[in-house]
Amino acid sequence: MQISRFRNNCGVTITELMVAVGVLGIIASVSAVMFTMGFRSWRQSYAQIEVQGDARKVLDLIERNLRQATASTVVISQTSGQPAYSKISFTKVNGDAMEFYQTNDKLYQKVDTNVNLLSNNVQNVLFSYPDTSDSYIVGISVTLQKSTYGGGAKTIQLSVEKVQIKNP
């Protein structure tokens, strides 16, 4: 009688099965962590892009209208209960009365009686005269923030710009 040198390997042993399950478990847990990190990174990048877009849009709109203002009509103040210097009002050369002001985390534009929401990610808006001897230059500082993943980290964009008023 001859003993066969090769056994019939039709199945797997319990040890092989346990090793395969362990390896798959490690791969699955590493994949989940990488997916979560990628998702958080994407959310933060998306929030940063949104905040930068808001900052650019807000500053461009304020600058464009402020350049057309009559310098003698510019008044920097605050809305009741809001940060100091967070409101600017002026009259444009064409006679439109304009205001830009912060209320909580929102920035509004008021043209005559029409009110438009410009951004709802505002942390702070500050209008100032950088050089007190020159009322034709107004400084604008806008700080925007947006919560990212799970209310945790925030993305913040600070933009500062000086605007020269063209009309006396």
Side-chain angles (χ1 to χ4, degrees), residues 1 13 23 29 32 42 54 64 68 78 80 84 111 126 134 141-142 144 151-152 156 161 166:
M1 176 165 258
T13 64
V23 168
S29 64
W42 175 80
D54 272 1
R64 188 174 343 115
Q68 299 172 18
Q78 74 186 69
S80 178
V111 181
L126 174 68
D134 189 356
S141 172
V142 179
L144 301 169
I156 296 178
E161 196 163 311
K166 303 286 186 183

Side-chain angles (χ1 to χ4, degrees), residues 81-135:
Q82 297 303 312
Y85 312 112
S86 61
K87 177 180 178 182
I88 189 166
S89 359
F90 55 89
T91 303
K92 291 173 54 173
V93 175
N94 66 2
D96 289 344
M98 298 203 73
E99 288 182 7
F100 291 94
Y101 59 94
Q102 176 183 356
T103 301
N104 300 323
D105 63 346
K106 295 178 179 21
L107 180 65
Y108 293 98
Q109 172 194 31
K110 183 176 179 184
V111 181
D112 293 325
T113 58
N114 300 324
V115 178
N116 301 316
L117 174 65
L118 299 180
S119 177
N120 55 6
N121 297 320
V122 175
Q123 183 180 14
N124 193 17
V125 175
L126 174 68
F127 300 101
S128 64
Y129 289 108
D131 182 1
T132 55
S133 65
D134 189 356
S135 63

Side-chain angles (χ1 to χ4, degrees), residues 143-160:
T143 306
L144 301 169
Q145 72 177 6
K146 182 169 177 73
S147 295
T148 56
Y149 185 75
K154 296 185 187 316
T155 182
I156 296 178
Q157 175 72 29
L158 171 64
S159 299
V160 179

